[in-house]
Amino acid sequence: QQKALFAYHLERARAASAAATADVLQFLESDEFREVLRDCCADIAHETSLELLQRYRNEARSAELAHAFPANALASVWPDVTLKEMDFPWFLNEWQAALLQESFNTTGGPQVVNDLMQQQLYGCKAFEGPKPTWKEAAERLIYIAHNMRRIDFASIPSFGDVSAIFNTTYVQKMVIIAPYD
């Protein structure tokens, strides 16, 4: 299901990007934006709007993709992968980690919100029971941060004291990035 969801969202993103490009270029050419650009970044203020857009796209493609998680389940705000689960040949998602840790909460809290978000925003299937099967859990997404700000920790410490940094080139065809949290 993940591959089908990715293909669906990729086409939607391409269409949305194409539809928005003219407006973005117009904004990048606006007097207000150019004034701010001259004040903050004089070394690139001479670039055309197309060059600035390409610069942004290049930065977005190369920025780190990170997942912060707790070293152990005791430090976790909600179920997430820990160092204990790093023996798997792939990076587990939060749903798989919750099954292994037997820490499923289907009555409220962050897990319920995350479940609804993955269904409504990304189109993941609802779980058939009160907790997912391993197959259902495996079809869910891994929550990551797109480190456009290049902060050292790559995410925020409240998500955990360990960060996994994904190889951007390797996962570029596996990532859907929403412009909000």
Side-chain angles (χ1 to χ4, degrees), residues 39-54:
D39 287 345
C40 80
C41 314
D43 57 324
I44 63 169
H46 67 281
E47 292 187 15
T48 68
S49 57
L50 194 57
E51 290 170 327
L52 291 171
L53 179 57
Q54 189 58 49

Side-chain angles (χ1 to χ4, degrees), residues 34-154:
R34 290 299 173 155
E35 183 179 336
V36 170
L37 193 61
R38 282 189 294 277
D39 287 345
C40 80
C41 314
D43 57 324
I44 63 169
H46 67 281
E47 292 187 15
T48 68
S49 57
L50 194 57
E51 290 170 327
L52 291 171
L53 179 57
Q54 189 58 49
R55 178 186 285 268
Y56 176 81
R57 286 176 172 166
N58 290 343
E59 181 64 27
R61 285 184 187 107
S62 64
E64 288 177 336
L65 301 171
H67 180 86
F69 60 93
N72 63 62
L74 297 176
S76 184
V77 175
W78 53 76
D80 199 352
V81 65
T82 66
L83 291 175
K84 182 180 176 183
E85 289 88 27
M86 289 294 112
D87 291 340
F88 280 80
W90 69 90
F91 196 88
L92 297 175
N93 65 37
E94 295 168 26
W95 307 99
Q96 292 167 313
L99 286 174
L100 290 174
Q101 298 163 5
E102 299 179 1
S103 56
F104 235 88
N105 178 1
T106 58
T107 60
Q111 256 182 329
V112 172
V113 173
N114 189 2
D115 180 29
L116 288 173
M117 182 269 308
Q118 288 202 15
Q119 289 177 55
Q120 294 175 3
L121 185 61
Y122 296 109
C124 293
K125 293 178 185 174
F127 301 135
E128 291 195 20
K131 69 178 187 178
T133 64
W134 184 258
K135 183 179 184 305
E136 288 173 325
E139 292 177 347
R140 289 305 181 96
L141 309 172
I142 297 171
Y143 191 88
I144 62 160
H146 191 201
N147 192 10
M148 292 283 291
R149 300 181 103 189
R150 298 181 181 193
I151 56 176
D152 289 342
F153 195 74

